[in-house]
Amino acid sequence: MTGAAGFIGFHLSQSLVHQGTQVIGIDNLNSYYDPQLKRDRLAQIQDHQNFTFAAIDLCDRTELNTLFNTYQPETVIHLAAQAGVRYSLENPYSYVDSNLVGFVNILECCRYYEVQHLVYASSSSVYGANRKIPFSTDDPVDHPVSLYAATKKANELMAHTYSHLYGIPTTGLRFFTVYGTWGRPDMAYFLFTKAMLEGQPIKVFNHGKMRRDFTYIDDVVDGIVRLIDHIPQPHDEGNSNAPYVVYNIGNNKPVELLRFINVLEDALGLTAQKEFLPMQPGDVVETYADTQPLTDAVGFQAKTPIEVGLPKFVDWYRQYHG
């Protein structure tokens, strides 16, 4: 599993090792956000007998090949990526290195070491400014509004190419605003919590006129676990018969940003000072996942509303930060 010290990768690794699955986790522990949080996540699982960790950068083809040759993985879950829409405006080369070069290196390893299933992270950001809702994987996604989104769409195209040329079964997952315990400090809910506890104002973009399909981490992990053994088969769809599929994985219940903030205020017992700002470049007004294909395939159903998920996050945040 790549990105094993990341938010989703940590939770998924923890779930799998406790189920008895042998997990080989890799991560480069970069400084996009505090590496100590990544190390603290790893500390929760690194002593488990079913978990092995290697600090590897996806751009290092030699080390990546050595790892694949040593462990001969049957399934690869590729979650490592340079994340964040706004950061892609500041540091585009980081996205090229991790999300494009790194992904090609993973695909090549899957090809040469005959991996049985590649599950990889895409993003709801590929939908760009699509106005048809809910977002369906049948919708065209040819107009990304951020470089991050463009790299994720490129990942889907690259995966399809390898599925077509080499028969590698690939499953792409378009994640929708994942939140929860041990989360990413650059995400809005994390920034809001930190600011509110410090008595600082929170930045509310587009004057709060946003809706997001907030998806709790436990639901995301459940969806991925269900898909690991659900290997795509060649099928006639459009002009492709490759063993390739892409799913949305979301809560299927978009929430207004101000409602989300209200629930967070209740969980913290605080009232936020709100600084209303215009829309940020690369951002979108609404996300809303059509998850029916994932339900049909593996019975996935998100179960966690924000009224449950946000208090869990707040409890963890207070405990983690003392």
Side-chain angles (χ1 to χ4, degrees):
M1 181 187 305
T2 73
F7 172 35
I8 298 175
F10 155 67
H11 280 280
L12 181 59
S13 295
Q14 189 175 53
S15 175
L16 289 173
V17 297
H18 288 149
Q19 292 175 29
T21 303
Q22 192 72 34
V23 176
I24 312 302
I26 70 173
D27 203 295
N28 68 354
L29 301 172
N30 68 30
S31 58
Y32 168 61
Y33 60 80
D34 186 2
Q36 187 58 48
L37 176 59
K38 301 174 186 182
R39 289 191 287 267
D40 289 342
R41 290 177 184 139
L42 283 175
Q44 308 297 308
I45 53 173
Q46 63 187 8
D47 293 333
H48 198 287
Q49 61 181 3
N50 290 340
F51 185 76
T52 302
F53 178 72
I56 294 177
D57 191 298
L58 294 181
C59 291
D60 190 330
R61 284 183 288 175
T62 300
E63 285 205 28
L64 204 56
N65 270 281
T66 298
L67 181 130
F68 270 76
N69 187 53
T70 300
Y71 294 103
Q72 301 286 328
E74 297 177 2
T75 300
V76 172
I77 302 174
H78 176 56
L79 300 174
Q82 179 58 63
V85 169
R86 291 171 191 142
Y87 187 63
S88 68
L89 305 176
E90 304 167 19
N91 194 354
Y93 291 107
S94 178
Y95 292 76
V96 172
D97 292 342
S98 180
N99 300 7
L100 299 180
V101 176
F103 192 56
V104 169
N105 291 342
I106 288 292
L107 287 168
E108 280 291 283
C109 284
C110 290
R111 168 191 176 189
Y112 282 107
Y113 294 96
E114 299 183 349
V115 166
Q116 296 175 18
H117 190 192
L118 168 63
V119 181
Y120 65 94
S122 185
S123 169
S124 63
S125 67
V126 301
Y127 291 106
N130 279 20
R131 294 179 181 176
K132 173 184 165 291
I133 54 172
F135 295 157
S136 165
T137 51
D138 293 328
D139 297 338
V141 287
D142 300 323
H143 299 94
V145 296
S146 70
L147 179 63
Y148 170 67
T151 64
K152 286 301 184 179
K153 173 58 179 172
N155 286 171
E156 295 179 4
L157 295 171
M158 293 154 72
H160 180 271
T161 301
Y162 274 70
S163 291
H164 171 75
L165 289 174
Y166 308 115
I168 302 168
T170 65
T171 298
L173 295 175
R174 294 176 178 172
F175 293 121
F176 280 71
T177 317
V178 186
Y179 75 101
T181 60
W182 295 99
R184 276 174 34 209
D186 62 318
M187 297 288 284
Y189 69 97
F190 208 113
L191 295 170
F192 290 167
T193 300
K194 183 176 186 293
M196 289 165 67
L197 287 171
E198 294 175 354
Q200 300 296 317
I202 65 172
K203 295 180 178 180
V204 183
F205 293 107
N206 201 36
H207 305 280
K209 296 175 183 175
M210 316 261 274
R211 283 161 56 90
R212 288 288 181 273
D213 203 344
F214 295 103
T215 313
Y216 192 65
I217 183 62
D218 290 359
D219 292 330
V220 168
V221 168
D222 174 64
I224 299 172
V225 170
R226 288 170 180 263
L227 281 166
I228 288 173
D229 294 326
H230 189 77
I231 300 175
Q233 302 299 315
H235 57 91
D236 291 317
E237 184 173 306
N239 297 317
S240 171
N241 63 352
Y244 163 94
V245 68
V246 174
Y247 295 109
N248 290 331
I249 184 161
N251 201 46
N252 191 231
K253 292 182 179 68
V255 175
E256 292 180 357
L257 181 56
L258 291 178
R259 170 62 185 157
F260 185 83
I261 292 170
N262 287 340
V263 173
L264 184 58
E265 289 174 322
D266 289 343
L268 286 164
L270 297 168
T271 300
Q273 306 169 50
K274 302 176 186 69
E275 181 183 353
F276 292 99
L277 297 167
M279 181 81 101
Q280 291 283 283
D283 218 340
V284 298
V285 173
E286 181 171 16
T287 64
Y288 182 179
D290 175 2
T291 55
Q292 191 60 49
L294 187 55
T295 301
D296 293 344
V298 293
F300 170 80
Q301 190 69 52
K303 300 173 182 176
T304 313
I306 60 170
E307 290 81 6
V308 173
L310 278 176
K312 287 184 177 180
F313 167 74
V314 167
D315 289 345
W316 167 81
Y317 186 97
R318 284 185 155 137
Q319 182 179 20
Y320 180 73
H321 290 283

